Amino acid sequence: MRLGSAELTIVSDGVMRMDGGSMYGAVPKVIWSRRDPPDRKNRVTVGLNCFLIRHRGKTVLVDAGAGTKHDRQARSIYGLRAGKLVANLRQQGVQPQDIDLVVLTHLHFDHVGGCTRYHRGTSKAAPVFPRATHVVQRADWDEANNSNERTRLAYHADDFVPLQDSQQLELLDGDTELLPGLWVRHTGGHTAGHQMLYLESDGEKLASFGDVVPTAEHLPLTYITAIDLYPMDTLAAKRRWLTQAEEENWLLVFGHGVGSVAGRLTRNERGRLVLAAEESE
């Protein structure tokens, strides 16, 4: 897809299954299950979508999926069919060494796991993208490295500590312009340091809200995951950014979307905010 002079490609790392109650939080199952039917284990399928952006002579990857380092138990619990990112990038003519910048919305395993892989026959993790600078909010880094009983299962040190060891990590403090027109905006909510991506090119605007709005099903303000550590911050971020996205006709892409991954906001016959799917060019 073209966005002004920039180019966007949706690149999948695969899919996984998440508990429906975790994904929809306080929304009753009788409501969310009409649009997103769960399996017999009450899990819903979510995409592991990454976004490749070519802009200002740079190749940028937004999030990196779950990767390949998970054991059999984790693959069973989450129904993980992941680790496809590198192969799918190569189908787009992009090798790992071609990536200049990796933007991480946050450090949960399903967004950062694909940044590292184990050397064959060892348990030593190393970066997948050898030339890339990986950017994340300092607040998210601090939270990931000081997890507690509630949060620790979402973080795997092998996903992100090797990036610091290889000096490929840059910690940000709030909103930052990474390239002309390419910004990260600190949202908080899902985690203390959660950030969204915003791109403006030749008057066209794009955003990926990360896990503040993980799928198009989460457009209603009250649809907030049970995993969000600061749900009132999520609510405030959704109210602010979805209002602006609708008013300015942003193209939105969704990290966990299945089917409806990209589109622009519109209103249905009941006046509710919905996604008008964007057709790939």
Side-chain angles (χ1 to χ4, degrees):
M1 288 178 278
R2 301 294 304 185
L3 190 89
S5 59
E7 183 180 351
L8 167 73
T9 306
I10 298 166
V11 185
S12 175
D13 186 55
V15 296
M16 64 185 291
R17 293 178 181 267
M18 290 288 292
D19 179 79
S22 294
M23 284 300 294
Y24 289 100
V27 179
K29 180 179 179 180
V30 69
I31 295 176
W32 62 255
S33 62
R34 297 172 190 164
R35 299 171 66 181
D36 197 358
D39 66 9
R40 61 183 178 81
K41 296 182 179 180
N42 201 49
R43 302 176 303 180
V44 294
T45 301
V46 299
L48 298 169
N49 305 318
C50 310
F51 308 109
L52 184 71
I53 298 173
R54 296 177 175 94
H55 179 61
R56 298 283 182 143
K58 299 294 185 180
T59 303
V60 181
L61 182 67
V62 183
D63 283 336
T68 61
K69 302 187 303 296
H70 303 281
D71 60 23
R72 181 177 298 179
Q73 182 181 26
R75 291 196 300 270
S76 175
I77 291 172
Y78 294 107
L80 270 169
R81 288 179 283 162
K84 302 176 181 179
L85 176 59
V86 169
N88 286 335
L89 282 171
R90 285 179 172 143
Q91 287 188 2
Q92 299 298 324
V94 177
Q95 300 296 327
Q97 61 269 24
D98 296 333
I99 303 295
D100 299 297
L101 183 66
V102 180
V103 178
L104 299 168
T105 55
H106 59 298
L107 294 175
H108 285 171
F109 74 86
D110 54 323
H111 292 259
V112 71
C115 287
T116 65
R117 61 188 169 200
Y118 290 137
H119 289 295
R120 183 171 297 178
T122 76
S123 59
K124 181 176 176 57
V128 169
F129 307 105
R131 293 182 51 255
T133 298
H134 300 67
V135 297
V136 69
Q137 291 288 322
R138 188 183 308 274
D140 204 76
W141 175 264
D142 291 343
E143 199 164 60
N145 283 282
N146 295 278
S147 60
N148 57 41
E149 290 82 358
R150 182 182 179 190
T151 64
R152 66 171 54 113
L153 290 178
Y155 297 114
H156 301 164
D158 277 351
D159 290 343
F160 48 83
V161 171
L163 305 176
Q164 184 184 56
D165 295 341
S166 64
Q167 300 183 358
Q168 292 178 253
L169 179 72
E170 181 178 347
L171 301 180
L172 308 177
D173 294 297
D175 296 359
T176 304
E177 189 174 26
L178 303 172
L179 296 170
L182 181 68
W183 286 79
V184 289
R185 308 284 192 188
H186 176 236
T187 66
H190 190 65
T191 63
H194 184 279
Q195 61 185 1
M196 59 175 271
L197 180 110
Y198 172 81
L199 172 64
E200 184 169 353
S201 178
D202 299 332
E204 290 286 314
K205 299 172 182 180
L206 171 143
S208 173
F209 292 129
D211 276 4
V212 165
V213 191
T215 77
E217 303 297 331
H218 289 78
L219 288 172
L221 295 182
T222 56
Y223 281 51
I224 296 172
T225 80
I227 303 165
D228 285 42
L229 298 177
Y230 313 97
M232 295 308 294
D233 292 339
T234 298
L235 179 61
K238 290 181 71 172
R239 185 182 291 117
R240 173 186 178 183
W241 294 112
L242 286 173
T243 297
Q244 189 170 348
E246 182 184 13
E247 290 175 349
E248 299 179 1
N249 196 34
W250 295 4
L251 174 63
L252 302 182
V253 290
F254 297 91
H256 285 311
V258 176
S260 296
V261 178
R264 300 177 193 267
L265 299 178
T266 187
R267 297 277 172 173
N268 65 13
E269 64 280 0
R270 297 183 179 180
R272 294 177 180 174
L273 203 61
V274 295
L275 192 73
E278 188 85 358
E279 293 185 5
S280 298
E281 296 181 359

